[in-house]
Amino acid sequence: VVLRRFDTRSEVDLKAEAVLSGIVSEPRADHLANIPLDDFSNKVLVELCNPNSKFGKVILPKTTRIGGLDGRLPCGSFTEERACYLMGACSWNETLLECEWS
């Protein structure tokens, strides 16, 4: 990921992207992103838990649970309350401090 300070790409940003494109694996378009710093949280960090996103599809293992939710991590994989709720099918157990299926 190339993080740039502004919305437009500077010459420095383009050079950084060119250097990284030479070392990332194929398909390069799926493994490289040039993103403004303000968008990093939404376009990269939040999307890591989305199995259909650019990065999530590579990082998340494919899991299946009877009744659906193909391609999502089991709720027990989340050890933090906010991440637990982001999955939608999970809920946070305040007593046990763990994420479980809703």
Side-chain angles (χ1 to χ4, degrees), residues 6-81:
F6 302 107
D7 286 336
T8 57
R9 293 178 177 176
S10 70
E11 189 173 324
V12 171
D13 298 324
L14 294 174
K15 284 181 182 178
E17 189 173 338
V19 168
L20 285 177
S21 70
I23 60 173
V24 297
S25 59
E26 293 289 345
R28 286 186 171 88
D30 287 348
H31 300 151
L32 181 66
N34 191 325
I35 299 171
L37 185 59
D38 290 342
D39 295 339
F40 181 70
S41 177
N42 290 332
K43 291 190 176 179
V44 177
L45 297 180
V46 170
E47 292 297 314
L48 288 176
C49 292
N50 177 355
N52 299 313
S53 72
K54 180 180 214 172
F55 299 108
K57 69 182 178 184
V58 176
I59 293 171
L60 294 176
K62 298 291 182 190
T63 60
T64 303
R65 179 173 184 255
I66 296 171
L69 302 176
D70 290 351
R72 292 193 174 192
L73 283 171
C75 294
S77 299
F78 299 99
T79 58
E80 194 266 329
E81 183 176 3

